[in-house]
Short mmCIF file of all heavy atoms in Angstrom, two decimals:
data_model
loop_
_atom_site.label_atom_id
_atom_site.label_comp_id
_atom_site.label_asym_id
_atom_site.label_seq_id
_atom_site.Cartn_x
_atom_site.Cartn_y
_atom_site.Cartn_z
N MET A 25 14.56 13.47 -1.51
CA MET A 25 14.51 13.60 -2.89
C MET A 25 13.17 13.23 -3.40
O MET A 25 12.54 12.29 -3.09
CB MET A 25 15.66 12.54 -3.38
CG MET A 25 15.73 12.64 -4.81
SD MET A 25 17.19 11.59 -5.37
CE MET A 25 16.64 11.23 -7.09
N GLU A 26 12.73 14.22 -4.13
CA GLU A 26 11.32 13.97 -4.68
C GLU A 26 11.39 13.20 -6.11
O GLU A 26 12.24 13.52 -6.91
CB GLU A 26 10.80 15.34 -5.01
CG GLU A 26 9.34 15.33 -5.47
CD GLU A 26 8.74 16.76 -5.67
OE1 GLU A 26 9.03 17.58 -4.92
OE2 GLU A 26 8.21 16.92 -6.78
N ARG A 27 10.58 12.21 -6.18
CA ARG A 27 10.50 11.39 -7.30
C ARG A 27 9.28 11.90 -8.21
O ARG A 27 8.26 12.18 -7.60
CB ARG A 27 10.34 9.99 -7.01
CG ARG A 27 11.73 9.45 -6.47
CD ARG A 27 11.51 7.96 -5.96
NE ARG A 27 10.70 7.77 -4.87
CZ ARG A 27 10.98 8.09 -3.58
NH1 ARG A 27 12.14 8.60 -3.32
NH2 ARG A 27 10.10 7.93 -2.60
N ARG A 28 9.56 11.90 -9.45
CA ARG A 28 8.35 12.36 -10.29
C ARG A 28 8.14 11.25 -11.36
O ARG A 28 9.05 10.59 -11.96
CB ARG A 28 8.66 13.63 -11.05
CG ARG A 28 8.72 14.77 -10.08
CD ARG A 28 9.03 16.10 -10.83
NE ARG A 28 10.51 16.03 -10.85
CZ ARG A 28 11.35 16.78 -11.66
NH1 ARG A 28 10.62 17.56 -12.44
NH2 ARG A 28 12.58 16.68 -11.78
N ILE A 29 6.92 10.99 -11.61
CA ILE A 29 6.53 10.02 -12.72
C ILE A 29 7.23 10.47 -14.04
O ILE A 29 7.15 11.75 -14.34
CB ILE A 29 4.97 9.92 -12.90
CG1 ILE A 29 4.39 9.32 -11.64
CG2 ILE A 29 4.68 9.15 -14.13
CD1 ILE A 29 2.86 9.29 -11.62
N GLY A 30 7.85 9.46 -14.70
CA GLY A 30 8.58 9.77 -15.94
C GLY A 30 10.06 9.87 -15.70
O GLY A 30 10.72 9.73 -16.66
N ASP A 31 10.50 10.10 -14.40
CA ASP A 31 12.04 9.95 -14.22
C ASP A 31 12.42 8.47 -14.13
O ASP A 31 11.50 7.59 -14.16
CB ASP A 31 12.36 10.61 -12.80
CG ASP A 31 12.23 12.05 -12.78
OD1 ASP A 31 12.10 12.73 -13.84
OD2 ASP A 31 12.25 12.70 -11.69
N LYS A 32 13.75 8.27 -14.10
CA LYS A 32 14.20 6.91 -13.95
C LYS A 32 13.87 6.36 -12.66
O LYS A 32 14.04 6.99 -11.71
CB LYS A 32 15.69 6.85 -14.29
CG LYS A 32 16.29 5.48 -14.36
CD LYS A 32 17.77 5.43 -14.36
CE LYS A 32 18.31 6.10 -15.70
NZ LYS A 32 19.77 5.82 -15.76
N CYS A 33 13.47 5.07 -12.67
CA CYS A 33 13.13 4.38 -11.38
C CYS A 33 14.33 4.13 -10.62
O CYS A 33 15.42 3.86 -11.15
CB CYS A 33 12.51 2.99 -11.80
SG CYS A 33 12.27 1.92 -10.35
N ILE A 34 14.32 4.40 -9.31
CA ILE A 34 15.58 4.33 -8.46
C ILE A 34 15.90 2.84 -8.18
O ILE A 34 16.97 2.48 -7.67
CB ILE A 34 15.44 5.08 -7.22
CG1 ILE A 34 14.44 4.63 -6.27
CG2 ILE A 34 15.33 6.63 -7.45
CD1 ILE A 34 14.33 5.37 -4.90
N LEU A 35 14.92 1.91 -8.32
CA LEU A 35 15.13 0.45 -8.05
C LEU A 35 15.45 -0.23 -9.35
O LEU A 35 16.18 -1.30 -9.17
CB LEU A 35 13.94 -0.14 -7.38
CG LEU A 35 13.52 0.44 -6.16
CD1 LEU A 35 12.17 -0.16 -5.59
CD2 LEU A 35 14.56 0.28 -5.09
N ASP A 36 15.16 0.10 -10.48
CA ASP A 36 15.41 -0.61 -11.69
C ASP A 36 15.80 0.43 -12.79
O ASP A 36 15.02 1.07 -13.31
CB ASP A 36 14.15 -1.28 -12.13
CG ASP A 36 14.33 -2.20 -13.32
OD1 ASP A 36 15.40 -2.14 -14.01
OD2 ASP A 36 13.45 -2.89 -13.65
N ASP A 37 17.22 0.38 -13.14
CA ASP A 37 17.49 1.45 -14.08
C ASP A 37 16.83 1.26 -15.50
O ASP A 37 16.94 2.28 -16.30
CB ASP A 37 19.08 1.14 -14.36
CG ASP A 37 19.92 1.63 -13.10
OD1 ASP A 37 19.39 2.37 -12.41
OD2 ASP A 37 20.97 1.19 -12.99
N SER A 38 16.37 0.15 -15.78
CA SER A 38 15.80 -0.07 -17.07
C SER A 38 14.29 0.34 -17.17
O SER A 38 13.57 0.15 -18.15
CB SER A 38 15.91 -1.53 -17.67
OG SER A 38 15.12 -2.36 -16.71
N LYS A 39 13.75 0.93 -16.08
CA LYS A 39 12.39 1.27 -15.94
C LYS A 39 12.25 2.68 -15.71
O LYS A 39 12.94 3.33 -15.03
CB LYS A 39 11.81 0.46 -14.78
CG LYS A 39 10.29 0.72 -14.46
CD LYS A 39 9.92 -0.25 -13.21
CE LYS A 39 8.51 0.33 -12.81
NZ LYS A 39 8.17 -0.28 -11.55
N ILE A 40 11.07 3.24 -16.25
CA ILE A 40 10.75 4.72 -15.94
C ILE A 40 9.76 4.66 -14.86
O ILE A 40 8.92 3.72 -14.86
CB ILE A 40 10.00 5.29 -17.29
CG1 ILE A 40 11.00 5.24 -18.39
CG2 ILE A 40 9.58 6.67 -16.93
CD1 ILE A 40 12.36 6.11 -18.21
N CYS A 41 9.88 5.56 -13.90
CA CYS A 41 8.92 5.68 -12.70
C CYS A 41 7.42 5.86 -13.21
O CYS A 41 7.09 6.68 -13.97
CB CYS A 41 9.32 6.84 -11.88
SG CYS A 41 8.12 7.02 -10.44
N ASP A 42 6.66 4.93 -12.66
CA ASP A 42 5.26 4.91 -13.03
C ASP A 42 4.37 5.22 -11.83
O ASP A 42 3.18 5.10 -11.89
CB ASP A 42 4.76 3.62 -13.65
CG ASP A 42 5.12 2.36 -12.83
OD1 ASP A 42 5.45 2.58 -11.67
OD2 ASP A 42 4.79 1.31 -13.29
N GLY A 43 5.01 5.62 -10.67
CA GLY A 43 4.39 5.88 -9.50
C GLY A 43 3.91 4.74 -8.60
O GLY A 43 2.95 4.81 -7.79
N CYS A 44 4.52 3.55 -8.75
CA CYS A 44 4.12 2.33 -8.09
C CYS A 44 4.41 2.42 -6.53
O CYS A 44 3.88 1.64 -5.77
CB CYS A 44 4.86 1.14 -8.62
SG CYS A 44 6.53 1.02 -8.24
N MET A 45 5.41 3.44 -6.25
CA MET A 45 5.77 3.59 -4.70
C MET A 45 6.42 2.43 -4.14
O MET A 45 6.52 2.38 -2.89
CB MET A 45 4.58 4.02 -3.89
CG MET A 45 3.89 5.25 -4.44
SD MET A 45 4.78 6.77 -4.59
CE MET A 45 4.98 7.07 -2.77
N GLU A 46 6.88 1.46 -4.94
CA GLU A 46 7.58 0.36 -4.22
C GLU A 46 8.91 0.75 -3.59
O GLU A 46 9.26 0.10 -2.63
CB GLU A 46 8.03 -0.63 -5.43
CG GLU A 46 8.55 -2.01 -4.90
CD GLU A 46 8.87 -2.93 -6.07
OE1 GLU A 46 8.26 -2.87 -7.12
OE2 GLU A 46 9.79 -3.86 -5.86
N CYS A 47 9.41 1.74 -4.06
CA CYS A 47 10.64 2.36 -3.46
C CYS A 47 10.38 2.93 -2.06
O CYS A 47 11.48 3.12 -1.33
CB CYS A 47 11.28 3.38 -4.31
SG CYS A 47 10.32 4.73 -4.80
N ASP A 48 9.17 3.16 -1.70
CA ASP A 48 8.80 3.64 -0.35
C ASP A 48 8.39 2.68 0.67
O ASP A 48 8.02 3.00 1.71
CB ASP A 48 7.78 4.72 -0.43
CG ASP A 48 8.24 6.06 -1.05
OD1 ASP A 48 9.40 6.33 -0.98
OD2 ASP A 48 7.37 6.73 -1.70
N ILE A 49 8.40 1.43 0.30
CA ILE A 49 8.04 0.26 1.22
C ILE A 49 9.21 -0.06 2.07
O ILE A 49 10.36 -0.19 1.67
CB ILE A 49 7.63 -1.00 0.32
CG1 ILE A 49 6.40 -0.54 -0.48
CG2 ILE A 49 7.21 -2.09 1.27
CD1 ILE A 49 5.15 -0.16 0.19
N CYS A 50 8.95 -0.42 3.29
CA CYS A 50 9.83 -0.75 4.41
C CYS A 50 10.54 -2.11 3.94
O CYS A 50 9.80 -2.97 3.54
CB CYS A 50 9.27 -0.81 5.66
SG CYS A 50 10.25 -1.54 7.04
N ASP A 51 11.78 -2.27 4.05
CA ASP A 51 12.43 -3.46 3.76
C ASP A 51 12.27 -4.66 4.75
O ASP A 51 12.12 -5.80 4.39
CB ASP A 51 14.07 -3.41 3.66
CG ASP A 51 14.46 -2.46 2.38
OD1 ASP A 51 13.60 -2.35 1.39
OD2 ASP A 51 15.51 -1.85 2.47
N LEU A 52 12.03 -4.20 5.91
CA LEU A 52 11.68 -5.17 6.98
C LEU A 52 10.23 -5.57 7.14
O LEU A 52 9.98 -6.72 7.64
CB LEU A 52 12.35 -4.70 8.37
CG LEU A 52 13.82 -4.34 8.33
CD1 LEU A 52 14.17 -3.79 9.70
CD2 LEU A 52 14.67 -5.64 8.00
N ASP A 53 9.31 -4.69 6.78
CA ASP A 53 7.96 -4.98 6.94
C ASP A 53 7.14 -4.39 5.78
O ASP A 53 6.89 -3.23 5.61
CB ASP A 53 7.41 -4.12 8.26
CG ASP A 53 5.87 -4.42 8.41
OD1 ASP A 53 5.28 -5.14 7.63
OD2 ASP A 53 5.35 -3.82 9.34
N PRO A 54 7.01 -5.29 4.72
CA PRO A 54 6.39 -5.00 3.55
C PRO A 54 4.94 -4.41 3.51
O PRO A 54 4.37 -3.83 2.62
CB PRO A 54 6.33 -6.22 2.71
CG PRO A 54 6.60 -7.30 3.57
CD PRO A 54 7.16 -6.72 4.88
N THR A 55 4.34 -4.25 4.71
CA THR A 55 3.06 -3.71 4.95
C THR A 55 3.24 -2.20 5.39
O THR A 55 2.15 -1.54 5.62
CB THR A 55 2.23 -4.49 5.92
OG1 THR A 55 2.82 -4.48 7.21
CG2 THR A 55 2.05 -5.92 5.54
N LYS A 56 4.38 -1.79 5.47
CA LYS A 56 4.66 -0.40 6.10
C LYS A 56 5.29 0.40 5.11
O LYS A 56 6.30 0.03 4.38
CB LYS A 56 5.52 -0.61 7.44
CG LYS A 56 5.91 0.66 8.03
CD LYS A 56 6.76 0.38 9.21
CE LYS A 56 7.94 1.34 9.41
NZ LYS A 56 8.84 0.91 10.39
N ILE A 57 5.07 1.74 5.16
CA ILE A 57 5.74 2.72 4.30
C ILE A 57 7.08 3.12 5.14
O ILE A 57 6.93 3.34 6.38
CB ILE A 57 4.87 4.07 4.08
CG1 ILE A 57 3.58 3.74 3.35
CG2 ILE A 57 5.72 5.12 3.32
CD1 ILE A 57 3.91 3.22 1.93
N CYS A 58 8.14 3.22 4.43
CA CYS A 58 9.37 3.60 5.19
C CYS A 58 9.23 4.96 5.87
O CYS A 58 8.88 5.85 5.32
CB CYS A 58 10.54 3.68 4.02
SG CYS A 58 12.10 4.23 4.74
N ASP A 59 9.69 4.89 7.16
CA ASP A 59 9.61 6.23 7.88
C ASP A 59 11.05 6.58 8.35
O ASP A 59 11.28 7.32 9.24
CB ASP A 59 8.61 6.23 9.06
CG ASP A 59 9.14 4.97 10.08
OD1 ASP A 59 10.15 4.38 9.83
OD2 ASP A 59 8.35 4.78 11.03
N ASN A 60 12.12 6.08 7.73
CA ASN A 60 13.45 6.37 7.97
C ASN A 60 13.87 5.98 9.36
O ASN A 60 14.55 6.68 9.97
CB ASN A 60 13.70 7.87 7.63
CG ASN A 60 13.73 8.10 6.18
OD1 ASN A 60 14.06 7.29 5.29
ND2 ASN A 60 13.16 9.18 5.78
N CYS A 61 13.35 4.92 9.99
CA CYS A 61 13.65 4.57 11.29
C CYS A 61 15.15 4.00 11.42
O CYS A 61 15.72 4.20 12.48
CB CYS A 61 12.78 3.51 11.83
SG CYS A 61 12.89 1.79 10.99
N GLY A 62 15.74 3.45 10.38
CA GLY A 62 17.12 3.07 10.32
C GLY A 62 17.24 1.64 10.82
O GLY A 62 18.43 1.17 10.88
N LYS A 63 16.14 0.97 11.16
CA LYS A 63 16.40 -0.47 11.66
C LYS A 63 16.99 -1.44 10.64
O LYS A 63 17.72 -2.20 10.96
CB LYS A 63 15.04 -1.03 12.13
CG LYS A 63 14.53 -0.36 13.48
CD LYS A 63 13.18 -0.96 13.74
CE LYS A 63 12.64 -0.21 15.02
NZ LYS A 63 11.24 -0.59 15.31
N CYS A 64 16.69 -1.13 9.37
CA CYS A 64 17.32 -1.98 8.35
C CYS A 64 18.66 -1.83 8.14
O CYS A 64 19.47 -2.60 7.57
CB CYS A 64 16.41 -1.72 7.00
SG CYS A 64 16.64 -0.04 6.29
N LEU A 65 19.20 -0.65 8.56
CA LEU A 65 20.70 -0.30 8.36
C LEU A 65 21.35 -0.47 9.77
O LEU A 65 22.50 -0.17 9.89
CB LEU A 65 20.83 1.22 8.04
CG LEU A 65 20.15 1.56 6.72
CD1 LEU A 65 20.30 3.03 6.32
CD2 LEU A 65 20.86 0.78 5.60
N ASN A 66 20.66 -1.01 10.79
CA ASN A 66 21.11 -1.29 12.12
C ASN A 66 21.80 0.13 12.61
O ASN A 66 22.79 0.07 13.23
CB ASN A 66 22.17 -2.28 12.07
CG ASN A 66 22.52 -2.87 13.53
OD1 ASN A 66 21.75 -2.70 14.41
ND2 ASN A 66 23.68 -3.55 13.77
N ILE A 67 20.95 1.14 12.59
CA ILE A 67 21.51 2.50 13.11
C ILE A 67 21.08 2.55 14.51
O ILE A 67 19.87 2.37 14.84
CB ILE A 67 20.83 3.58 12.26
CG1 ILE A 67 21.43 3.58 10.76
CG2 ILE A 67 21.20 4.99 12.91
CD1 ILE A 67 20.86 4.60 9.93
N GLN A 68 21.96 3.07 15.44
CA GLN A 68 21.56 3.20 16.84
C GLN A 68 20.90 4.61 16.95
O GLN A 68 21.00 5.50 16.04
CB GLN A 68 22.79 3.23 17.61
CG GLN A 68 23.67 1.90 17.54
CD GLN A 68 22.87 0.71 17.85
OE1 GLN A 68 22.15 0.67 18.86
NE2 GLN A 68 23.01 -0.35 17.14
N ASP A 69 20.25 4.81 18.11
CA ASP A 69 19.62 6.00 18.35
C ASP A 69 20.61 7.28 18.38
O ASP A 69 20.29 8.34 18.04
CB ASP A 69 18.84 5.98 19.67
CG ASP A 69 17.58 5.27 19.58
OD1 ASP A 69 17.06 4.91 18.37
OD2 ASP A 69 17.08 4.75 20.67
N ASP A 70 21.79 7.00 18.97
CA ASP A 70 22.83 8.04 19.06
C ASP A 70 23.96 7.79 18.12
O ASP A 70 24.66 6.74 18.24
CB ASP A 70 23.26 8.19 20.47
CG ASP A 70 22.19 8.61 21.46
OD1 ASP A 70 21.42 9.53 21.05
OD2 ASP A 70 22.12 8.11 22.55
N ALA A 71 24.28 8.70 17.17
CA ALA A 71 25.40 8.53 16.37
C ALA A 71 26.60 9.11 17.14
O ALA A 71 26.58 10.02 17.82
CB ALA A 71 25.31 9.33 15.06
N VAL A 72 27.72 8.43 17.00
CA VAL A 72 28.99 8.86 17.68
C VAL A 72 30.14 9.01 16.73
O VAL A 72 30.32 8.19 15.85
CB VAL A 72 29.37 7.74 18.72
CG1 VAL A 72 30.76 8.13 19.47
CG2 VAL A 72 28.24 7.57 19.77
N ILE A 73 30.90 10.09 16.83
CA ILE A 73 31.99 10.37 16.00
C ILE A 73 33.14 10.63 16.99
O ILE A 73 33.06 11.42 17.85
CB ILE A 73 31.77 11.66 15.14
CG1 ILE A 73 30.65 11.45 14.12
CG2 ILE A 73 33.07 11.93 14.45
CD1 ILE A 73 30.21 12.60 13.42
N LYS A 74 34.19 9.77 16.83
CA LYS A 74 35.32 9.89 17.73
C LYS A 74 36.26 11.03 17.18
O LYS A 74 36.56 11.03 15.99
CB LYS A 74 36.08 8.56 17.58
CG LYS A 74 37.39 8.71 18.55
CD LYS A 74 38.13 7.37 18.53
CE LYS A 74 39.45 7.59 19.28
NZ LYS A 74 40.33 6.42 19.03
N ILE A 75 36.60 12.02 18.01
CA ILE A 75 37.42 13.10 17.61
C ILE A 75 38.75 12.85 18.31
O ILE A 75 38.93 12.68 19.41
CB ILE A 75 36.93 14.43 18.07
CG1 ILE A 75 35.57 14.77 17.50
CG2 ILE A 75 37.91 15.50 17.82
CD1 ILE A 75 34.87 15.96 18.01
N ASP A 76 39.87 12.64 17.41
CA ASP A 76 41.19 12.26 18.05
C ASP A 76 42.14 13.45 18.11
O ASP A 76 43.15 13.43 18.65
CB ASP A 76 41.75 11.17 17.27
CG ASP A 76 41.92 11.37 15.81
OD1 ASP A 76 41.59 12.49 15.38
OD2 ASP A 76 42.49 10.49 15.08
N ARG A 77 41.67 14.47 17.42
CA ARG A 77 42.42 15.79 17.52
C ARG A 77 41.72 16.97 16.96
O ARG A 77 40.83 16.72 16.15
CB ARG A 77 43.90 15.62 16.90
CG ARG A 77 43.84 15.83 15.35
CD ARG A 77 45.17 15.60 14.67
NE ARG A 77 44.95 14.46 13.92
CZ ARG A 77 45.84 13.63 13.54
NH1 ARG A 77 47.09 13.80 13.93
NH2 ARG A 77 45.60 12.57 12.80
N ILE A 78 42.16 18.15 17.39
CA ILE A 78 41.52 19.39 16.86
C ILE A 78 42.66 20.17 16.24
O ILE A 78 43.68 20.55 16.97
CB ILE A 78 40.89 20.10 18.03
CG1 ILE A 78 39.67 19.33 18.56
CG2 ILE A 78 40.36 21.53 17.41
CD1 ILE A 78 38.99 19.99 19.80
N ILE A 79 42.55 20.51 15.00
CA ILE A 79 43.59 21.27 14.44
C ILE A 79 43.19 22.81 14.55
O ILE A 79 42.20 23.35 13.96
CB ILE A 79 43.71 20.87 12.90
CG1 ILE A 79 43.90 19.42 12.80
CG2 ILE A 79 44.57 21.78 12.15
CD1 ILE A 79 43.81 18.92 11.30
N MET A 80 44.01 23.49 15.22
CA MET A 80 43.82 24.97 15.55
C MET A 80 44.32 25.73 14.34
O MET A 80 43.88 26.85 14.09
CB MET A 80 44.49 25.37 16.92
CG MET A 80 43.91 24.50 18.06
SD MET A 80 42.18 24.73 18.25
CE MET A 80 42.07 26.45 18.83
N ASP A 81 45.47 25.32 13.80
CA ASP A 81 46.20 26.04 12.76
C ASP A 81 46.14 25.21 11.43
O ASP A 81 46.89 24.32 11.37
CB ASP A 81 47.54 26.38 13.16
CG ASP A 81 48.38 27.23 12.13
OD1 ASP A 81 47.66 27.66 11.18
OD2 ASP A 81 49.49 27.53 12.34
N PRO A 82 45.29 25.71 10.50
CA PRO A 82 45.18 24.95 9.32
C PRO A 82 46.46 24.84 8.54
O PRO A 82 46.66 23.94 7.59
CB PRO A 82 44.04 25.51 8.48
CG PRO A 82 43.90 26.86 9.10
CD PRO A 82 44.36 26.85 10.48
N ASP A 83 47.47 25.82 8.71
CA ASP A 83 48.68 25.86 8.00
C ASP A 83 49.65 24.89 8.44
O ASP A 83 50.70 24.56 7.93
CB ASP A 83 49.33 27.25 8.02
CG ASP A 83 48.43 28.29 7.23
OD1 ASP A 83 47.70 27.78 6.22
OD2 ASP A 83 48.36 29.44 7.53
N ASP A 84 49.41 24.34 9.86
CA ASP A 84 50.21 23.46 10.40
C ASP A 84 50.11 22.11 9.67
O ASP A 84 49.03 21.46 9.78
CB ASP A 84 49.91 23.20 11.94
CG ASP A 84 50.92 22.31 12.63
OD1 ASP A 84 51.83 21.91 12.06
OD2 ASP A 84 50.56 21.98 13.77
N GLN A 85 51.17 21.61 8.97
CA GLN A 85 51.04 20.34 8.16
C GLN A 85 51.47 19.13 9.01
O GLN A 85 51.78 18.07 8.46
CB GLN A 85 52.02 20.53 6.95
CG GLN A 85 51.61 21.61 6.04
CD GLN A 85 50.23 21.35 5.41
OE1 GLN A 85 49.97 20.21 5.00
NE2 GLN A 85 49.35 22.35 5.31
N ASP A 86 51.36 19.17 10.28
CA ASP A 86 51.79 18.06 11.15
C ASP A 86 50.56 17.17 11.48
O ASP A 86 50.35 16.70 12.59
CB ASP A 86 52.36 18.58 12.54
CG ASP A 86 53.01 17.47 13.40
OD1 ASP A 86 53.57 16.49 12.73
OD2 ASP A 86 53.05 17.59 14.53
N TYR A 87 49.66 16.92 10.59
CA TYR A 87 48.52 16.18 10.91
C TYR A 87 48.33 15.09 9.80
O TYR A 87 48.43 14.44 9.14
CB TYR A 87 47.12 16.85 10.98
CG TYR A 87 46.87 17.76 9.96
CD1 TYR A 87 45.95 17.43 8.87
CD2 TYR A 87 47.19 19.09 9.93
CE1 TYR A 87 45.63 18.18 7.85
CE2 TYR A 87 46.82 20.02 8.95
CZ TYR A 87 46.05 19.60 7.87
OH TYR A 87 45.76 20.37 6.94
#
């Protein structure tokens, strides 16, 4: 999402964006620009989704 000066600040609803770039600072290392590593969200390298069934007939209401 691109931010533009003059839009509403994403960190403070009562503030207009002035280009301070505070929203791009890493939460864990304030000397670093966020690179979406996911460490602050405890994201693992591999995301896993468990599939418990496959619906072959969408008209079958047995799910």
Side-chain angles (χ1 to χ4, degrees):
M25 182 173 156
E26 183 178 314
R27 290 174 292 283
R28 290 177 282 166
I29 293 177
D31 288 347
K32 187 187 291 188
C33 174
I34 63 170
L35 298 177
D36 184 353
D37 289 340
S38 64
K39 179 182 168 188
I40 300 297
C41 177
D42 59 6
C44 73
M45 304 299 289
E46 185 179 339
C47 54
D48 288 331
I49 301 296
C50 174
D51 288 341
L52 301 177
D53 181 358
T55 64
K56 176 182 143 189
I57 300 293
C58 176
D59 60 3
N60 294 320
C61 69
K63 290 179 183 175
C64 62
L65 300 174
N66 198 18
I67 295 175
Q68 305 300 321
D69 286 339
D70 298 318
V72 177
I73 298 173
K74 179 183 175 189
I75 299 174
D76 59 356
R77 81 182 112 206
I78 297 174
I79 301 170
M80 299 300 289
D81 183 5
D83 293 330
D84 183 12
Q85 299 296 317
D86 191 31
Y87 56 91

